[in-house]
C-alpha cells in the first residue's frame, strides 16, 4: 500500500514547475506573526516538498530547516534552495522531524497538513518548538464557486490539529498556459503518472478543459491563499 510519503514520487518535477507560489500579502502577514518580530527567528518548514513556500522563507534570510521525507521531492528541494546557505534540508517526517528539542520559533506547513497525523505532529511541534512557538498552515485554495472543494479530509485535519486558530485569506490569482495547466493537473497525488494506463485519458480531459476555459491562451483561476496560525 502506498504511504503518504510515497504519494508524490514521480511528480516532483511537474510539481516544481507548475504549482502556484504565494502572494506577497500573505508572506507579509506571516512575517508579522513572528514572535516579537525577531530578526533571528528560526523557522522549520515541514513537508517542504519541492520548496514552493520554503523558497519564500529562505529569501527572508532567516535560519531555516526544510523537512521533507520523499526522495524525489527532496532532490527538487535541493535545487530550489541551492542559492540559500541559510536553509538546511532535513530528511524527516512531520511526526519525526529529526530536529533538536526547543530549536525553532516558527513552524510552517504549506499544502501538507492533511498528510500528517495531527496528534503526533502536535507533539512533535511542542518538542522542537521554543516557548511560544507558533504553527502556521498555508493552503492555496480554489473557491467552491469556481470548482473548488469544501475541504473534506483537509478540513478534518485542520480542525483536529488547531484549537483556536487565527485565520486570514489573501487573493492569489493564477494564469496557466496550456503547458503549465497540464503540468499542474499532473502534479496531484491522485493524478495518474505517465507510465500508468489512465494517463492518456487524464491528459485528454485536461486538454478539453483548457480548450473550453482559456482566453487568448491563458486559463485564469482566482485562487486564494488561506493561512491558519496558533501558538502552542
Amino acid at each position: 500500500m502506498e504511504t503518504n510519503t510515497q504519494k508524490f514520487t514521480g511528480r516532483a518535477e511537474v510539481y516544481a514547475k507548475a504549482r502556484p507560489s504565494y502572494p506577497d500579502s500573505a508572506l507579509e502577514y506571516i512575517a508579522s506573526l513572528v514572535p516579537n518580530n525577531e530578526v533571528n527567528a528560526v523557522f522549520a518548514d515541514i513537508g517542504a516538498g519541492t520548496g514552493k513556500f520554503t523558497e519564500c522563507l529562505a529569501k527572508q534570510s532567516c535560519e531555516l530547516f526544510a523537512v521533507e521525507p520523499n526522495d524525489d521531492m527532496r532532490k527538487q528541494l535541493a535545487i530550489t534552495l541551492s542559492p540559500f546557505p541559510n536553509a538546511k534540508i532535513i530528511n524527516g517526517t512531520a511526526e519525526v522531524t529529526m530536529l533538536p528539542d526547543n530549536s525553532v520559533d516558527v513552524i510552517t506547513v504549506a499544502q501538507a497538513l492533511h498528510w500528517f497525523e495531527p496528534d503526533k505532529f502536535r507533539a512533535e511541534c511542542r518538542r522542537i518548538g521554543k516557548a511560544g512557538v507558533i504553527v502556521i498552515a498555508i493552503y492555496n485554495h480554489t473557491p467552491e464557486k469556481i470548482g473548488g472543494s469544501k475541504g473534506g479530509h483537509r478540513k478534518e485535519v485542520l480542525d483536529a490539529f488547531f484549537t483556536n486558530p487565527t485565520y486570514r485569506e489573501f487573493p492569489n490569482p493564477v494564469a496557466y498556459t496550456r503547458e503549465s495547466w497540464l503540468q499542474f493537473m499532473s502534479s496531484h497525488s491522485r493524478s495518474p503518472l505517465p507510465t500508468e494506463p489512465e494517463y492518456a485519458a487524464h491528459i485528454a480531459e485536461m486538454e478539453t478543459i483548457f480548450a473550453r476555459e482559456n482566453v487568448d491562451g491563458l486559463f485564469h483561476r482566482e485562487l486564494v491563499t488561506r493561512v491558519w496560525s496558533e501558538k502552542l
Side-chain angles (χ1 to χ4, degrees):
M1 181 179 294
E2 186 181 43
T3 67
N4 286 346
T5 298
Q6 298 168 328
K7 285 183 182 293
F8 288 94
T9 297
R11 297 181 171 88
E13 186 174 353
V14 292
Y15 195 110
K17 288 179 178 177
R19 285 294 181 107
S21 188
Y22 301 87
D24 290 343
S25 55
L27 297 170
E28 290 167 4
Y29 170 70
I30 289 167
S32 76
L33 298 175
V34 177
N36 301 318
N37 292 315
E38 294 178 8
V39 175
N40 297 321
V42 179
F43 282 73
D45 191 37
I46 312 299
T50 65
K52 282 288 181 177
F53 181 75
T54 326
E55 182 180 21
C56 298
L57 296 177
K59 288 178 178 178
Q60 306 308 310
S61 300
C62 61
E63 183 178 356
L64 172 63
F65 296 105
V67 178
E68 173 54 45
N70 182 276
D71 291 344
D72 281 0
M73 300 292 267
R74 206 166 53 252
K75 289 176 184 176
Q76 288 290 328
L77 179 63
I79 295 170
T80 302
L81 297 182
S82 59
F84 303 103
N86 53 309
K88 181 179 180 180
I89 298 172
I90 306 293
N91 181 3
T93 67
E95 298 80 13
V96 184
T97 62
M98 310 302 292
L99 296 178
D101 293 355
N102 308 118
S103 58
V104 299
D105 299 284
V106 183
I107 297 167
T108 59
V109 185
Q111 306 293 135
L113 186 62
H114 58 291
W115 298 121
F116 302 169
E117 296 182 49
D119 291 341
K120 292 182 180 179
F121 178 51
R122 187 186 304 105
E124 183 71 347
C125 289
R126 286 179 171 145
R127 183 188 70 78
I128 68 175
K130 299 177 186 179
V133 66
I134 187 166
V135 182
I136 304 170
I138 307 101
Y139 279 101
N140 281 326
H141 177 74
T142 304
E144 290 177 57
K145 64 182 179 180
I146 58 170
S149 66
K150 293 182 179 180
H153 177 62
R154 179 185 297 180
K155 184 179 186 305
E156 291 175 8
V157 175
L158 283 161
D159 290 345
F161 180 81
F162 289 113
T163 301
N164 186 30
T166 300
Y167 173 77
R168 295 289 186 273
E169 188 174 289
F170 304 88
N172 190 19
V174 176
Y176 295 103
T177 63
R178 173 185 170 277
E179 181 181 8
S180 64
W181 168 249
L182 296 179
Q183 289 172 335
F184 173 71
M185 294 307 295
S186 296
S187 71
H188 297 83
S189 62
R190 63 185 180 274
S191 301
L193 293 167
T195 54
E196 296 176 332
E198 302 88 357
Y199 182 75
H202 167 73
I203 291 298
E205 182 182 357
M206 296 307 106
E207 291 265 25
T208 299
I209 292 172
F210 185 84
R212 183 178 66 236
E213 302 289 343
N214 87 88
V215 177
D216 296 328
L218 292 176
F219 182 10
H220 296 271
R221 300 285 272 178
E222 298 299 323
L223 304 185
V224 294
T225 297
R226 294 177 165 183
V227 181
W228 292 258
S229 62
E230 188 172 46
K231 286 186 178 181
L232 293 188

